[in-house]
Amino acid sequence: MALRRALHFVFKVGDRSKTATFYRDVLGMKILRHEEFEEGCKATCNGPYDGKWSKTMVGFGPEDDHFVAELTYNYGVGEYRLGNDFLGLTLQSSQAVSNAKRLGWPLTEVGEALYLVEAPGGYRFYLVDKEQPHNDPVQKVCLAVSDLQKSTHYWSSLLGMKVMERNEEKKTVLMGFTDTQLPDLEALMTKENYKILTPLVSLDTPGKATVEVVILADPDGHEICFVGDEAFRQLSQMDPSGNALLDKAMAEDKSDEWFAKHNKQKASA
């Protein structure tokens, strides 16, 4: 049985050009793969849209052993309203801090050797100003919940995460994944009467592996997508042409010209 782990966090983005600059030039991530789709995903991977969209995976290393960001871009959608659920992603990289300072990207010191920087659209990233480790520098993702006890039960007892740290004063819980098979997970959620947004379904990617996914919603409506291990390992192989494919798509999109003309910045949420 494969060990379950957190793979991605999805960000819907409007301005692909500024977003690419942030992840590549400020954070120092690599474009791992880029895919263009002519119609909406049947598992609503791109949200409630049915038009052309793209998916770009960015991270510090291969998806096999790194937590990465999935950047979803819907053509024709320039702005998303930022919610209050995502509180921030923390990573350790003094190089990212230096990059932000060199590029003049707004940077706020919020603690000892800790800086806050925002991606286009307002997504928050916390940079630990220490040498970037050889393994994955991404340390944690923070989500807001309305009932900590209920959410902890859901994520630990039902999803199988392990409680690694609990802080009663700050009302926070830090958790990491263990393992469970997808059909068993779906059956458990059905039994416990929790919402299943997308029952077990197979998703095709042209020229690549077909993966099985189940998409759930936690008590606060956070979407959690679980994917089968074996096919995902095939699908998630790093594509050397990913960087060029993204640049080509952005050049052909010409959305930068529209936003420059209208003096408007795209946002994401």
Side-chain angles (χ1 to χ4, degrees):
M1 180 180 293
L3 180 67
R4 184 187 300 172
R5 67 182 182 85
L7 298 173
H8 312 140
F9 196 89
V10 179
F11 299 100
K12 288 187 176 66
V13 304
D15 191 331
R16 280 197 297 187
S17 179
K18 288 185 178 179
T19 296
T21 296
F22 176 77
Y23 285 93
R24 289 191 290 201
D25 301 339
V26 178
L27 296 187
M29 290 183 173
K30 302 181 179 70
I31 304 298
L32 304 176
R33 53 189 171 102
H34 175 80
E35 295 158 345
E36 295 279 328
F37 303 90
E38 292 300 321
E39 58 184 23
C41 173
K42 64 181 179 181
T44 65
C45 301
N46 63 314
Y49 306 96
D50 58 6
K52 185 176 179 180
W53 65 289
S54 75
K55 176 172 65 178
T56 307
M57 313 304 293
V58 295
F60 289 99
E63 292 174 67
D64 257 2
D65 51 14
H66 286 74
F67 183 85
V68 311
E70 177 177 328
L71 309 178
T72 298
Y73 172 72
N74 287 288
Y75 282 80
V77 181
E79 187 173 359
Y80 301 90
R81 183 163 55 185
L82 188 66
N84 62 356
D85 52 347
F86 175 74
L87 298 183
L89 185 151
T90 301
L91 60 92
Q92 179 177 318
S93 174
S94 56
Q95 184 59 55
V97 175
S98 297
N99 291 343
K101 291 178 178 178
R102 174 174 53 83
L103 295 171
W105 202 279
L107 194 66
T108 304
E109 188 170 5
V110 293
E112 185 177 353
L114 183 65
Y115 291 86
L116 167 65
V117 64
E118 292 188 0
Y123 292 121
R124 293 185 168 193
F125 287 76
Y126 291 91
L127 309 180
V128 179
D129 193 9
K130 296 180 181 179
E131 184 177 356
Q132 185 171 309
H134 295 296
N135 56 356
D136 193 355
V138 177
Q139 297 182 342
K140 61 184 176 182
V141 174
C142 187
L143 295 176
V145 301
S146 58
D147 186 324
L148 186 60
Q149 183 175 352
K150 186 175 182 179
S151 293
T152 301
H153 168 73
Y154 181 89
W155 287 83
S156 60
S157 300
L158 301 182
L159 297 190
M161 295 186 82
K162 177 183 179 182
V163 175
M164 305 170 67
E165 180 183 302
R166 190 188 301 266
N167 189 316
E168 298 294 344
E169 183 179 349
K170 294 183 178 180
K171 296 184 179 180
T172 60
V173 173
L174 181 65
M175 292 180 282
F177 271 114
T178 54
D179 53 33
T180 305
Q181 296 297 307
L182 295 187
D184 297 334
L185 180 62
E186 182 180 27
L188 176 60
M189 291 299 154
T190 301
K191 177 184 176 183
E192 296 292 330
N193 199 31
Y194 275 98
K195 184 177 292 186
I196 299 174
L197 297 176
T198 301
L200 186 61
V201 63
S202 295
L203 297 182
D204 297 322
T205 299
K208 296 186 178 182
T210 297
V211 295
E212 290 188 327
V213 307
V214 171
I215 304 180
L216 310 176
D218 80 348
D220 289 289
H222 297 128
E223 294 187 17
I224 314 117
C225 180
F226 293 86
V227 301
D229 179 70
E230 184 176 351
F232 177 77
R233 289 183 185 275
Q234 299 175 38
L235 174 67
S236 64
Q237 293 298 309
M238 185 173 177
D239 182 359
S241 62
N243 212 52
L245 288 174
L246 172 61
D247 286 338
K248 179 176 182 290
M250 290 192 297
E252 293 177 350
D253 185 17
K254 296 183 178 179
S255 59
D256 282 351
E257 296 178 12
W258 187 92
F259 277 85
K261 180 179 179 181
H262 291 77
N263 192 29
K264 180 178 180 181
Q265 178 179 341
K266 298 177 184 176
S268 54

